[in-house]
Amino acid sequence: MSKIDPQFLEQSRAAFQTEASISLADVRTKVIQDAALTPIQRRDILSALHRVETLFGKPLSEISARPGAVRGLFLDASPAKLRVSPKTLRNIRALVGQVTRRYGIPVRQLTRRISIAPEWQNLLDRIPVAYQRQALYRLAAYAAVMEIKPEQVSQAALLGLHTALMAEEIVKNPRNILKNTIANWNRCIRSVSGWPQIVLSSPFKTTPQTLPLSAFPKNFQDDVGQWVRKVRDSDALDEDAPVRALRQTTIDHRILQIRQFASALVSRGDMEVEDITSIADLLKPEPFRSGLRFFLERQKGHTTTRLHNMANALRHIAKHHCKFEPEVLTELDRICRKLDPGTGRQMAARNRERLRQFDDPGNVGRLLRFPEEQAVRAAKEKNPLRAAKRMERAVALGILLHTGLRSRTLRSLQLEDFHWSAGTRSGPCHLYVREETTKTDRPLEFELPQETAARIRGFINDYRPRLPGAEGAYLFPGVKGNARSKNAMYVAITDGLRKDAGLTVNPHLLRHAIAKIAVEQNPDAYLAVSRVLGHSSLETTMAHYLGTETKAAGRHLDRLLVQARDNDEQPKLKRGRQ
């Protein structure tokens, strides 16, 4: 797409423009001058406009008074994020929306202010399904402005449409609209008679840097398959086999690393694809060093824990699968040691930065109260499916906060993993996590707090049956009754915390957050945190999952010193009185 004419994109940027818009500052002036408003109405509106300026940190003169722009401003706003009550945010949004519609410039729909060209209208009329027809209206309107005929639609036209959407139309995600346009266009190729036979694809696609395994010679593919069989079906008497069989997720990741490394050598021009016939071809000292340099240069010469881990993983394959000579392995060891960033198993800097939000006691409270607040809102929700989704989120967060389970394990929980006393769903509840669902291959057992147990019981009895796939065995069912997908669970948790609590937290970061909150409350809680998080050793907890505990340890030490000082001062006071 580098050959696209810049002038074409500039014209596209203006394709959907309307009359010159006014700003909210202009609206404020009109409100002040409008004699038809009562003093109370004027006061409330001006107050709402002032709050917009302070809450969003943006002068009113820079905020367009188009309804779409105002909707976009409030799109990701949440009471927790803006630190206002839900009622206050609703009132501000309503008042600003009203004055925008009253004093701003209303924007008509594209298809009402842009005439669709006859050849496009004829094409759209052939689409029998209404939503498919609607999905292509924007493209037709854009094409009418830019004088693009249906048979002239290309990647350049798609990029121009995206430019137009970004410049004028306030939509949540222009790329999603573009993706939907492409999908429906290609669907019409198959289902609508006379549709232009031009298959569209995203104009943002780039050539993948990592080649598929099938792109390499068959001998190389066979060698990778041989390694897979060796590590998947571990033989206790085979000295070259791993101590225990690798998980499929680990095997998949290792194959990806092998592909990435081979592709790096091809990209650098150090090797041709057809020359790579075995894993050993990649891991000899010279290509090993050259491939690692490719990734090192991408990090501007700075090594990372991820790169060091990749080098070590490939070195292990060289040792146990390729069976290199000792002197070759020694050289590979030396290369790997040079890549060691020296951070050990410490928490990543990005996660440490994200955890700083929990230095604020208010954010800690919002996180810990989240399950209860979601359950209350679920009970008030009139839409049955939305209520079920909200209660599901309350249960998931409650379990995560009290058990620290990994996302994969959480998604794998089944109804039979929960056991209530006397065989009924009342009283204490014990959660037995099966060993095949944990990272360490060790079973975990938890006694859940009474309020969490009650919430799970209510979810199973009253809310879960409303979810698609509820006939399956999983606590959090997918649409087809299988386990909820990784992405669906991730989105449910992260979006819920962001919108309703104003927190930026993903499921795995919750493990760090639990450790941080517990240890900062009590620096002696290392062992309890280690057991709950399912670590195989206390060293893992102290080195990798914490890292913010020095502040808590410092406060604990200060308390001990003050206590020692006070204990020493009391006898002196008594001697002074004598």
Side-chain angles (χ1 to χ4, degrees):
M1 297 306 296
S2 58
K3 297 181 180 179
I4 293 297
D5 184 357
Q7 186 176 359
F8 174 79
L9 292 182
E10 190 60 34
Q11 293 172 350
S12 296
R13 189 169 286 109
F16 292 156
Q17 286 184 351
T18 57
E19 311 97 303
S21 182
I22 65 174
S23 69
L24 287 185
D26 300 318
V27 168
R28 178 174 55 190
T29 301
K30 291 185 177 183
V31 170
I32 295 172
Q33 297 172 347
D34 191 348
L37 295 174
T38 67
I40 294 178
Q41 288 175 327
R42 184 177 293 106
R43 179 202 65 191
D44 290 346
I45 294 171
L46 293 177
S47 175
L49 291 171
H50 175 70
R51 293 297 297 274
V52 166
E53 201 166 36
T54 55
L55 289 175
F56 294 98
K58 197 173 183 180
L60 295 180
S61 58
E62 296 181 7
I63 304 174
S64 173
R66 290 185 297 107
V70 173
R71 285 195 300 272
L73 185 69
F74 285 95
L75 189 62
D76 291 326
S78 67
K81 186 175 182 179
L82 298 179
R83 305 295 176 87
V84 298
S85 68
K87 183 178 179 180
T88 298
L89 182 59
R90 284 196 301 270
N91 289 341
I92 294 173
R93 184 189 288 115
L95 287 169
V96 174
Q98 288 172 11
V99 295
T100 301
R101 290 189 294 272
R102 182 170 180 175
Y103 302 104
I105 298 178
V107 179
R108 293 181 297 159
Q109 294 180 3
L110 285 176
T111 51
R112 292 184 179 179
R113 55 188 170 92
I114 297 177
S115 298
I116 304 297
E119 60 268 26
W120 275 96
Q121 190 62 59
N122 179 51
L123 205 60
L124 294 176
D125 290 341
R126 300 180 195 175
I127 304 175
V129 184
Y131 76 84
Q132 291 182 8
R133 191 164 54 249
Q134 183 68 32
L136 294 172
Y137 273 153
R138 277 193 178 89
L139 176 61
Y142 169 77
V145 174
M146 300 298 292
E147 298 181 352
I148 298 173
K149 297 182 182 300
E151 60 273 13
Q152 295 175 331
V153 174
S154 62
Q155 299 294 89
L158 293 177
L159 190 60
L161 172 61
H162 181 267
T163 302
L165 292 170
M166 290 289 292
E168 178 65 16
E169 288 295 299
I170 302 300
V171 291
K172 185 175 182 179
N173 193 327
R175 285 212 181 186
N176 278 351
I177 289 181
L178 191 66
K179 181 179 179 181
N180 193 36
T181 299
I182 293 170
N184 282 282
W185 173 281
N186 290 337
R187 188 176 290 116
C188 288
I189 292 176
R190 301 186 297 270
S191 60
V192 178
S193 176
W195 197 269
Q197 297 299 297
I198 304 170
V199 179
L200 300 180
S201 61
S202 173
F204 301 103
K205 283 186 177 180
T206 57
T207 303
Q209 291 186 332
T210 301
L211 299 173
L213 197 58
S214 59
F216 295 93
K218 187 176 185 305
N219 289 346
F220 180 75
Q221 298 178 42
D222 293 342
D223 194 31
V224 172
Q226 184 180 352
W227 171 80
V228 169
R229 288 189 292 275
K230 182 182 294 185
V231 297
R232 185 176 55 200
D233 306 319
S234 181
D235 183 352
L237 299 179
D238 185 351
E239 293 183 359
D240 294 324
V243 177
R244 64 178 181 180
L246 298 185
R247 288 176 173 273
Q248 187 58 48
T249 53
T250 304
I251 293 174
D252 292 341
H253 184 60
R254 293 288 177 266
I255 294 175
L256 174 61
Q257 289 177 321
I258 292 171
R259 289 171 46 218
Q260 288 174 331
F261 200 81
S263 301
L265 289 169
V266 173
S267 177
R268 282 176 60 88
D270 295 324
M271 298 184 74
E272 297 295 333
V273 171
E274 56 269 18
D275 295 333
I276 302 175
T277 59
S278 69
I279 299 177
D281 292 337
L282 309 175
L283 305 184
K284 294 173 184 177
E286 279 308 310
F288 187 63
R289 186 180 288 106
S290 179
L292 292 172
R293 189 173 299 282
F294 172 85
F295 296 100
L296 197 61
E297 289 172 352
R298 289 174 61 181
Q299 298 296 327
K300 299 181 179 179
H302 300 291
T303 185
T304 63
T305 301
R306 183 176 182 179
L307 179 57
H308 183 233
N309 289 342
M310 171 191 267
N312 271 327
L314 295 174
R315 179 179 60 84
H316 280 291
I317 294 175
K319 178 179 180 180
H320 297 290
H321 178 70
C322 303
K323 299 182 181 179
F324 286 156
E325 296 296 327
E327 57 270 18
V328 175
L329 294 175
T330 299
E331 187 169 355
L332 298 184
D333 287 341
R334 186 163 52 249
I335 295 172
C336 290
R337 283 197 298 272
K338 288 184 178 180
L339 289 175
D340 188 351
T343 56
R345 302 178 69 185
Q346 296 177 14
M347 184 188 303
R350 182 173 61 179
N351 283 337
R352 191 184 301 275
E353 177 66 27
R354 289 173 175 174
L355 281 179
R356 286 179 183 165
Q357 61 188 305
F358 295 110
D359 289 340
D360 181 353
N363 286 338
V364 173
R366 274 186 282 277
L367 176 64
L368 299 181
R369 290 192 301 269
F370 188 82
E372 179 184 357
E373 292 175 350
Q374 288 294 296
V376 171
R377 295 180 67 173
K380 297 178 180 179
E381 176 63 60
K382 296 180 180 179
N383 183 295
L385 183 58
R386 290 179 185 172
K389 291 286 188 181
R390 196 174 289 280
M391 180 59 81
E392 180 184 54
R393 192 179 300 131
V395 169
L397 262 294
I399 293 175
L400 283 177
L401 289 174
H402 291 288
T403 64
L405 294 179
R406 292 177 173 85
S407 178
R408 172 179 176 270
T409 306
L410 179 71
R411 295 186 296 109
S412 301
L413 293 179
Q414 297 186 12
L415 298 177
E416 62 182 19
D417 296 332
F418 297 86
H419 300 264
W420 276 265
S421 299
T424 62
R425 290 175 183 168
S426 61
C429 176
H430 293 83
L431 170 59
Y432 298 99
V433 181
R434 289 162 286 122
E435 60 186 29
E436 63 268 21
T437 67
T438 66
K439 183 178 180 181
T440 57
D441 289 329
R442 298 179 180 179
L444 299 173
E445 298 182 11
F446 301 96
E447 180 175 342
L448 299 174
Q450 185 174 355
E451 61 178 10
T452 302
R455 203 169 291 131
I456 294 172
R457 185 169 60 249
F459 171 67
I460 294 174
N461 291 339
D462 304 325
Y463 292 91
R464 185 179 173 278
R466 307 174 190 174
L467 296 173
E471 66 279 0
Y474 292 93
L475 178 66
F476 306 116
V479 176
K480 297 182 180 180
N482 52 355
R484 180 65 55 83
S485 71
K486 177 181 178 180
N487 185 62
M489 185 63 75
Y490 181 95
V491 170
I493 292 173
T494 55
D495 283 8
L497 286 168
R498 177 177 56 82
K499 293 178 180 178
D500 295 340
L503 302 173
T504 305
V505 188
N506 59 54
H508 190 74
L509 191 68
L510 281 172
R511 291 171 60 83
H512 295 297
I514 292 168
K516 172 183 172 68
I517 294 169
V519 173
E520 290 194 356
Q521 291 295 315
N522 179 8
D524 297 329
Y526 283 110
L527 183 59
V529 169
S530 180
R531 290 291 180 265
V532 169
L533 295 184
H535 292 160
S536 56
S537 70
L538 186 61
E539 180 184 358
T540 301
T541 309
M542 297 181 69
H544 190 74
Y545 273 84
L546 301 180
T548 62
E549 72 285 355
T550 51
K551 291 183 290 186
R555 290 194 295 267
H556 187 60
L557 179 61
D558 290 342
R559 287 195 297 269
L560 294 176
L561 293 175
V562 171
Q563 183 180 351
R565 181 199 65 191
D566 293 344
N567 290 339
D568 183 60
E569 287 180 350
Q570 290 183 8
K572 291 182 180 180
L573 292 174
K574 291 180 180 178
R575 289 196 297 270
R577 294 192 188 99
Q578 292 175 354

